[in-house]
């Protein structure tokens, strides 16, 4: 990877994620419930108390307090709040919100979902460039209810990074819907995607998230992953990711979003090109 590409990722992807998040929330805010003052007070009081506890525990200095202020200001200037929160915080929100699910296992959405990708019936090759680099992957399965009965009219949305770990609409120079698409299931509940396997994702190293990661001596990597949203009328939407058995960082995701149920074990494709794997989505009732 060249330095130019790394710079483009930090300057482009983090900031674009902020713009996309602002658009997505503006739509939701119009129908939002009124603010519950007691809940705001309870949560904010405890959040501040947790921070006060950290300051006491580690006997923070003024130099460290000023470094924290400067870093927080920079996260906003870089547009990296969605990146920071989705990498370091979202996994606990997902754990709490989906604790009672019985069907398909969820995990974090991350910063790079865009609604409205091209939709196909039953089977699709994801939009990709001529000669898109990467190992071909046939990814297929069935959307069902909790008893295993197939669901017609389910929507399986798939988005993932390319073989250089860049996401369309966030890194520059990639066609708008590259490696993003959705399949509407027929009566058999089945979906079949033809795509390529993504590469492990590196958190941009030259922005404020990268500065924290390197200052702390952590690593900036997520394992290679497919992102999915699977939904159907009368069913709970599941947002999840799938990983590749034995892949780098599967056991050490910086975003702590891997779960055992989410690890794919692809086999060589019957077609002879690349790999294939089957994964079913049983959806909880709404
Ligand atoms: C990603 O691709 C991602 O999935 C998450 C959660 C955070 C940063 C980049
Ligand atoms: Fe991702």
């Amino acid at each position: 990877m060249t330095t130019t590409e790394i710079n483009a990722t930090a300057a482009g992807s983090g900031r674009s994620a902020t713009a996309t998040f602002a658009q997505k929330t503006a739509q939701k805010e119009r129908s939002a419930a009124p603010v519950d003052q007691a809940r705001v007070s309870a949560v904010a009081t405890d959040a501040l108390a947790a921070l006060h506890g950290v300051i006491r525990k580690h006997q923070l200095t003024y130099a460290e307090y000023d470094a924290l202020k400067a870093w927080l200001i920079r996260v906003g200037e870089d547009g990296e709040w969605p990146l920071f929160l989705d990498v370091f915080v979202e996994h606990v929100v997902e754990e709490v919100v989906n604790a009672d699910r019985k069907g398909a296992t969820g995990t974090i959405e991350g910063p790079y979902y865009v609604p409205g990708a091209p939709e196909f019936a039953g089977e699709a090759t994801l939009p990709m460039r001529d000669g898109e680099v990467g190992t071909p992957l046939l990814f297929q399965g069935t959307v069902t209810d909790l008893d295993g009965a197939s669901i017609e009219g389910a929507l399986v949305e798939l988005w993932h990074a390319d073989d250089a770990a860049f996401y369309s609409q966030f890194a520059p120079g990639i066609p708008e819907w590259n490696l993003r698409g959705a399949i509407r299931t027929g009566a058999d509940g089945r979906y079949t995607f033809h795509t390529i396997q993504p590469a492990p994702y590196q958190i941009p190293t030259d922005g404020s998230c990268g500065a924290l990661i390197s200052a702390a001596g952590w690593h900036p990597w997520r394992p290679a992953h497919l992102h999915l949203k699977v939904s159907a009328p009368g069913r709970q939407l599941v947002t999840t990711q799938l990983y590749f058995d034995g892949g780098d960082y599967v056991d050490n995701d910086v975003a702590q979003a891997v779960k055992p149920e989410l690890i794919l074990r692809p086999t060589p494709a019957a077609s002879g090109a690349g790999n294939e794997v089957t994964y079913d989505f049983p959806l909880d009732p709404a």
Side-chain angles (χ1 to χ4, degrees), residues 83 86-87 108 110-112 167 201 203 222 225 227 241:
L83 182 66
D86 294 352
V87 169
I108 64 176
Y112 300 143
Y167 284 88
Y201 180 88
I203 307 300
R222 298 211 60 224
H225 55 279
H227 286 275
Q241 301 181 31

Side-chain angles (χ1 to χ4, degrees), residues 46-199:
D46 282 358
L48 290 167
L51 182 56
H52 302 157
V54 171
I55 294 166
R56 290 195 182 97
K57 178 177 173 188
H58 296 283
Q59 297 284 290
L60 229 66
T61 66
Y62 260 105
E64 288 166 337
Y65 177 62
D66 286 341
L68 172 64
K69 263 193 207 172
W71 182 80
L72 290 169
I73 291 165
R74 197 180 146 202
V75 177
E77 287 172 351
D78 289 349
E80 287 197 2
W81 277 118
L83 182 66
F84 173 79
L85 289 166
D86 294 352
V87 169
F88 293 110
V89 180
E90 189 187 356
H91 68 99
V92 187
V93 180
E94 192 280 329
E95 169 193 312
V96 167
V97 167
N98 292 333
D100 296 332
R101 282 239 168 118
K102 303 202 167 36
T105 301
T107 190
I108 64 176
E109 175 171 324
Y112 300 143
Y113 171 65
V114 185
E119 189 179 313
F120 306 87
E123 180 164 2
T125 298
L126 278 192
M128 62 178 76
R129 292 160 285 193
D130 286 343
E132 184 79 40
V133 177
T135 304
L137 179 68
L138 170 60
F139 170 60
Q140 60 190 344
T142 307
V143 184
T144 70
D145 65 17
L146 295 185
D147 299 321
S150 52
I151 297 180
E152 180 175 8
L155 190 68
V156 182
E157 297 177 84
L158 172 66
W159 72 102
H160 65 81
D162 66 16
D163 189 64
F166 293 115
Y167 284 88
S168 61
Q169 301 193 39
F170 295 90
I174 304 175
E176 188 177 23
W177 295 106
N178 208 249
L179 303 176
R180 296 174 182 273
I183 287 178
R184 185 76 65 181
T185 60
D188 59 3
R190 288 185 50 79
Y191 71 89
T192 303
F193 282 109
H194 303 268
T195 185
I196 55 110
Q197 291 183 201

